[in-house]
Amino acid sequence: MTISARLRKDADDIWKKIYEHPFVTELYKGTLPIEKFKFYVLQDYNYLISAIRNFSIIASKCDTVKAMREVVEILHLESVSEFRGYEKSLKELGYTLADAVNIQPIPMNVSYVNFLLSTSSLKSYAEAITSVLPCFWTYAEIAEYHKNKLQKNENRLYTEWASVYLSEPYLKLVRKIRNLVDNAGRGFLYEKLKKIFITASRYEYMYWDAIYSMQTWAI
């Protein structure tokens, strides 16, 4: 069993809860209130900006040139294609880039991003690349788990959003990150990677939960 497969198995209880989260199930059914989707897109645009910064840090910590090149490729993909997709969604929802950039990140967004950035800055390359895997991988598994619901989903915005995570380019990206984790994890203390992977998986669930409830700052 590969290291990434072992991590995935150890996080299975959390991932099953992610699959069944109301935001996810309602989006794939087409019943998610549009205001919640708008809230998600605006928050996730801010998350994406931080994710790009995070990959820059990870690239600087790679222990081989090959790994560095692959992380830089991911960084480029995130900064071009991911931004393009979000910018299209923003426009269709009636927002400008300025609207997205100036939105106040919710507490869970700030907390998740800070976890990723602190892991990449203060810990090893192996832990850093492991911390980003749940985000990419859960999106692919969510899409596979709920793909049959898309046949009856009449909301074009939702079906277009979901189809990205079923596409071969996206699945290839997930395989690339898994491979990076597998390579980095050889000879590394597994329990350290497991702790990071479990924490990131928990953040994925909590992020969906905060978005669904349209969480705001208490003060």
Side-chain angles (χ1 to χ4, degrees), residues 4 55 66-75 77 125 129 132-133 136 168-184:
S4 60
F55 271 109
K66 183 176 184 296
M68 184 182 295
R69 291 180 65 178
E70 291 183 342
V71 171
V72 169
E73 286 176 5
I74 296 169
L75 172 59
L77 183 64
Y125 161 66
I129 195 65
V132 300
L133 179 55
F136 289 89
E168 180 54 30
Y170 188 80
L171 297 178
K172 182 179 179 181
L173 173 61
V174 173
R175 291 193 295 269
K176 180 189 288 288
I177 301 175
R178 284 189 62 183
N179 187 58
L180 288 170
V181 170
D182 291 336
N183 291 334

Side-chain angles (χ1 to χ4, degrees), residues 79-101:
S79 61
V80 177
S81 62
E82 283 285 313
F83 263 124
R84 188 181 297 124
Y86 273 97
E87 287 166 4
K88 179 184 176 184
S89 295
L90 286 168
K91 184 177 181 180
E92 292 189 350
L93 290 169
Y95 294 114
T96 65
L97 284 180
D99 292 329
V101 170

Side-chain angles (χ1 to χ4, degrees), residues 9-92:
K9 182 179 179 181
D10 286 340
D12 192 53
D13 288 346
I14 299 171
W15 285 40
K16 285 178 179 177
K17 288 181 173 63
I18 292 173
Y19 298 162
E20 299 296 344
H21 193 279
F23 186 100
V24 172
T25 56
E26 290 176 18
L27 188 149
Y28 276 81
K29 288 178 181 177
T31 60
L32 181 74
I34 191 63
E35 292 305 315
K36 293 184 185 292
F37 187 69
K38 289 180 178 179
F39 192 80
Y40 163 79
V41 171
L42 289 171
Q43 287 295 322
D44 225 45
Y45 190 86
N46 274 261
Y47 175 90
L48 179 59
I49 294 171
S50 297
I52 290 172
R53 292 193 180 101
N54 188 46
F55 271 109
S56 299
I57 298 171
I58 296 174
S60 73
K61 302 191 77 170
C62 291
D63 43 15
T64 68
V65 173
K66 183 176 184 296
M68 184 182 295
R69 291 180 65 178
E70 291 183 342
V71 171
V72 169
E73 286 176 5
I74 296 169
L75 172 59
H76 179 262
L77 183 64
E78 285 284 279
S79 61
V80 177
S81 62
E82 283 285 313
F83 263 124
R84 188 181 297 124
Y86 273 97
E87 287 166 4
K88 179 184 176 184
S89 295
L90 286 168
K91 184 177 181 180
E92 292 189 350

